[in-house]
Amino acid sequence: MNSSEVIRIAWGALLKNKVRSLLTMLGIIIGVAAVIIMIAISAGTEATISEQITSLGSNLVFVTSNFSRGGMGGGGGQTGGLVYDDAFAIADEIDGVKGVVVEQSSTQTVKAGNVTLDGVSILGSTPDFPSVRDMELEDGRYFNQSEVDRKQKMVVLGHSLAQELFGDSDPIGQQVTVGTTRFVVIGVMAEKGLVGDVDYDARLYMPITVVLQKFTPTQFAKIVGDRVRMIYVEVDDQDNLEDVIFQIEVLLAKRHDVALDEADFTVTTQQDIIGTQEATTAAFRSLLAWVAGVSLIVGGIGIMNIMLVSVTERTREIGIRQSVGATPNDIRWQFLTEALLLSLVGGLIGTFIGVGGSWLFGTVSDMRTVIVPTSVVVAFGSAAIVGAFFGFYPANKAAELDPIEALRHE
Amino acid sequence: MARRTIIETIDLTKIYGMGDARVAALDGVSIHIETGEFVAIMGPSGSGKSTLMNILGCLSRPTGGRYILDGEDVSDLDKVQLAAIRNRKIGYIFQSYNLLPRTTALQNVMLPLQYDRIKERTAEKRVALAAKMLKKVGLAERIQHQPQELSGGQQQRVAIARALINDPVLIMADEPTGNLDSKSGDEIMNLLHELHQQGATIVMVTHDPEIASYTQRTIHLRDGKIEKIVHNGANEHKRAEKRSEK
Ligand SMILES: Nc1ncnc2c1ncn2[C@@H]1O[C@H](COP(=O)(O)OP(=O)(O)OP(=O)(O)O)[C@@H](O)[C@H]1O
Ligand SMILES: [Mg+2]
């Protein structure tokens, strides 16, 4: 008997019990579809996150304050942590630094003509901000260092904020009122969109010195003084990253007069953040894969169960086949082929549902899905392995039946 | 036609169980059957008829003695070799037909061809051969019927067609009319006699002395031993006459 004949016979046997075959395949179908859909969802999430992190700017180094000593609620000021001048020191003294930005944010009411907007997010920064954070200006310019030093009342508007305040008319040179202070608009940012949950287009940008002077609650300012929470450093070249990080650490440790291993600041890179993020999603992904894998195994046990029932039910048939010359191997292959067909057809249906479902999910919901080809291969391959593995025991049982006993069955 | 020995058994034994549960189902059976013979096996229940049939049909192996089938000693063959012998040399007819349910008569008759390992036999040749066999047993009109759509007698004919398809040297029939009414039973017996007339070698178990008397020889078993062998030469002639009267 050649293999195409074996397959044809096994196929015929499965068709004789259509409903049962379908129910048997259900476990495999769900398992395979689950693997594909879950991996598509986590790959989609991962892609979105790493795109967002990358869009923060390239070759970024984050220097963060550790407010471990003293503490925010201390009232009497604190020791340690980053100060505003640290940023200038980094920019001036370290080679390979392309730009340094310090940020301070606030929320204010903004007025222009007869338009009033409440709760506008204000971002005070230093001149390198557009370069470091990968932002472009659509119109006008960003403020320069001397304007920052002189606490000039100038603002740059986010793309959608400009639209809301001035509609189609040119905002450059116009006046806006932030809180109670009047500012002149010197630039408009190009569209950037959402990064994480921050809408860069709805923000208003001004010199950090102005934010510290005007829009930081006095109580808070008293505590914080000229301390900053984070300094963004843009490095000119990826290859210099390690070197720059080391120099920053040495420089700041010296300025703060602390040992490196008890520094009051932390230096991280964008890669670190992406790496952490990837580790999280990878853990999430492997959890999903395990869950889906378990459902595949459950599906395999379903196949074994039905195949065992099938062997018992068809003991007589096995005896008949043996009596006309079927060898143990013929019988083994017949049942193994049935189990394999069940899992392969189930795997195929599951693949269609998984790919279709992932696509549908990405289309109708706001969740992003990326169909990972290897997940399809792995899911389908595992279905086949599961079929072979769980089909083997029943097939062996069938093959080892004694012809006389099999014929006497029932 | 030159006679040759098909079945030769020497001191065949079959022992089931051990110790107190030990049963000698066959206890030193030596028989000799030649081509073209029609032999009946009779005996009380438990005398070892089915056990003997199973060994002669290569469905099981003796625990002692030799069995030479068609010149080949098959006593010590393994499962795979026995399967090949069953496929090529033996055609079975069972009391309960043993057809595959929900499978057409044609497919049932073709079943032994699935395991014949003859590559030259194409699908068309197999179908043609099976159709020819069904025609031979008078079921040319029923080849697409499934067992549940056929009468008992018709099902037994399908089983006979299946037994014949690989042109066996030996036909084994274990109470072939046991499940049939007397009319269908007669028809099956007529068919077997026809095959015998065409040269087939048949060994048949029966409980019916009349049916046995139409064969050439009856081997009587008791307690796993041959009690006697009766030659029914004249009766076979009588059977032919009886048939022509019908
Ligand atoms: N698988 C077995 N295990 C143990 N003992 C068995 C087995 N098969 C048959 N026997 C015993 O062997 C003896 C012969 O059995 P066998 O089936 O050959 O009798 P039989 O002549 O065919 O009887 P019947 O006319 O009832 O069919 C009996 O005593 C039976 O109990
Ligand atoms: Mg019996």
Side-chain angles (χ1 to χ4, degrees), chain B residues 11 28 36 38 44 63 65 86 90 106 108 116 121 123 125 131 154 177 181 194 198 213 217 221 224 245:
Chain B
D11 227 6
F38 194 166
T63 44
R86 291 197 294 270
I90 297 165
L106 191 73
N108 262 297
D116 65 7
R121 267 189 188 155
K125 279 185 187 161
Q154 288 169 330
T177 60
D181 59 57
E194 256 170 56
Q198 289 162 18
S213 71
R217 274 199 292 164
L221 289 182
E245 283 164 17

Side-chain angles (χ1 to χ4, degrees), chain A residues 277-356:
Chain A
Q277 199 59 55
E278 269 171 3
T280 315
T281 42
F284 177 61
R285 187 195 279 207
S286 71
L287 178 74
L288 292 181
W290 273 108
V291 170
V294 166
S295 72
L296 262 180
I297 289 172
V298 171
I301 293 171
I303 287 185
M304 178 157 76
N305 191 17
I306 292 297
M307 291 310 296
L308 282 174
V309 170
S310 181
V311 168
T312 307
E313 261 185 11
R314 288 154 67 194
T315 299
R316 186 83 171 235
E317 173 191 330
I318 295 165
I320 294 170
R321 289 181 180 275
Q322 287 174 324
S323 75
V324 299
T327 63
N329 263 339
D330 289 328
I331 303 293
R332 197 182 339 264
W333 272 114
Q334 181 185 345
F335 282 89
L336 203 53
T337 307
E338 280 182 31
L340 269 174
L341 271 183
L342 277 174
S343 58
L344 288 182
V345 173
L348 210 61
I349 298 175
T351 301
F352 276 115
I353 294 178
V355 170

Side-chain angles (χ1 to χ4, degrees), chain A residues 75-106:
Chain A
Q78 68 185 113
T79 53
L82 298 171
V83 294
Y84 188 54
D85 281 345
D86 286 338
F88 295 105
I90 292 171
D92 292 343
E93 292 176 30
I94 295 178
D95 288 338
V97 170
K98 196 171 163 193
V100 176
V101 170
V102 184
E103 294 179 4
Q104 178 70 39
S105 54
S106 177

Side-chain angles (χ1 to χ4, degrees), chain A residues 160-195:
Chain A
S160 61
L161 183 67
Q163 288 274 312
E164 281 185 76
L165 291 174
F166 296 102
D168 289 336
S169 61
D170 184 9
I172 308 290
Q174 306 261 27
Q175 299 249 320
V176 293
T177 309
V178 180
T180 53
T181 316
R182 290 176 158 259
F183 287 79
V184 63
V185 178
I186 61 163
V188 176
M189 290 290 193
E191 213 169 330
K192 173 90 170 173
L194 276 175
V195 174

Side-chain angles (χ1 to χ4, degrees), chain B residues 45-46 48-51 95 174-175 205 207:
Chain B
S45 185
K49 304 182 295 295
S50 294
T51 306
Q95 178 176 356
D174 195 345
E175 295 194 54
V205 170
H207 278 120

Side-chain angles (χ1 to χ4, degrees), chain A residues 1 5 9 16-17 316-317 320-328 330 334 400 402-404 407, chain B residues 54 59-60 79-80 83 86-87 92 94 96 98-100 102-103 111-112 114-115 117 126 162:
Chain A
M1 205 165 30
E5 206 178 340
I9 291 168
K16 276 180 190 158
N17 268 312
R316 186 83 171 235
E317 173 191 330
I320 294 170
R321 289 181 180 275
Q322 287 174 324
S323 75
V324 299
T327 63
D330 289 328
Q334 181 185 345
E400 276 160 16
D402 178 66
I404 296 164
L407 280 170
Chain B
N54 290 337
L59 281 164
S60 73
K79 280 183 178 182
V80 177
R86 291 197 294 270
N87 183 256
Y92 281 93
F94 302 94
S96 50
N98 277 338
L99 300 177
L100 295 186
R102 288 189 289 166
T103 305
L111 194 63
Q114 279 179 16
Y115 306 106
R117 289 163 177 86
R126 291 172 177 202
R162 180 181 65 191

Side-chain angles (χ1 to χ4, degrees), chain A residues 131-149:
Chain A
S131 144
V132 172
R133 301 301 295 271
D134 238 10
M135 305 271 292
E136 275 175 23
L137 273 103
E138 185 175 85
D139 222 348
R141 63 180 183 85
Y142 214 71
F143 32 84
N144 58 37
Q145 191 59 49
S146 76
E147 285 157 350
V148 172
D149 292 343

